[in-house]
Amino acid sequence: METRIVTITNRDWFRGTKVVEVEWKCPTCGEPMGEPKLRRFCEDGEWYDVHVWDNECGHIAKYRHLKIVNG
Ligand SMILES: [Zn+2]
């Protein structure tokens, strides 16, 4: 099982970001996902860096649909 460690937004507990290990396949079709890269965004005046990526299959994997294995 291929996994990646990425930083994503934290919506469940408190605002900000969290680092998680994710099973690196598309939640929709199971194909491998693209290379993650850091992107900066602003929320309520605070700046965060989170990973974003494109998938060759064309599906968009929302953070809440990722298969988190650790974190
Ligand atoms: Zn897909």
Side-chain angles (χ1 to χ4, degrees), residues 26 28-31 57-59:
C26 173
T28 304
C29 69
E31 290 294 309
C57 63
H59 295 122

Side-chain angles (χ1 to χ4, degrees), residues 42-55:
C42 184
E43 184 180 79
D44 293 342
E46 300 274 350
W47 286 92
Y48 302 101
D49 288 313
V50 293
H51 281 105
V52 296
W53 56 90
D54 295 318
N55 296 333

Side-chain angles (χ1 to χ4, degrees), residues 4 12 14 16-17 28 36 40 42-43 57-58 64 67-69:
R4 296 288 171 87
D12 301 329
F14 58 84
T17 61
T28 304
R40 175 152 283 216
C42 184
E43 184 180 79
C57 63
R64 67 176 184 274
K67 289 200 172 90
I68 293 172
V69 295

Side-chain angles (χ1 to χ4, degrees), residues 5 11 15 34 38 41 45 55-57 60-61:
I5 294 176
R11 295 285 170 194
R15 286 175 178 238
L38 278 177
F41 79 101
N55 296 333
E56 278 187 26
C57 63
I60 295 169

Side-chain angles (χ1 to χ4, degrees), residues 6 8 20 22-27 33 53 61-69:
V6 289
I8 64 176
V20 293
V22 171
E23 188 176 349
W24 206 247
K25 60 182 189 181
C26 173
M33 298 197 288
W53 56 90
K62 295 197 186 300
Y63 287 152
R64 67 176 184 274
H65 293 153
L66 296 176
K67 289 200 172 90
I68 293 172
V69 295

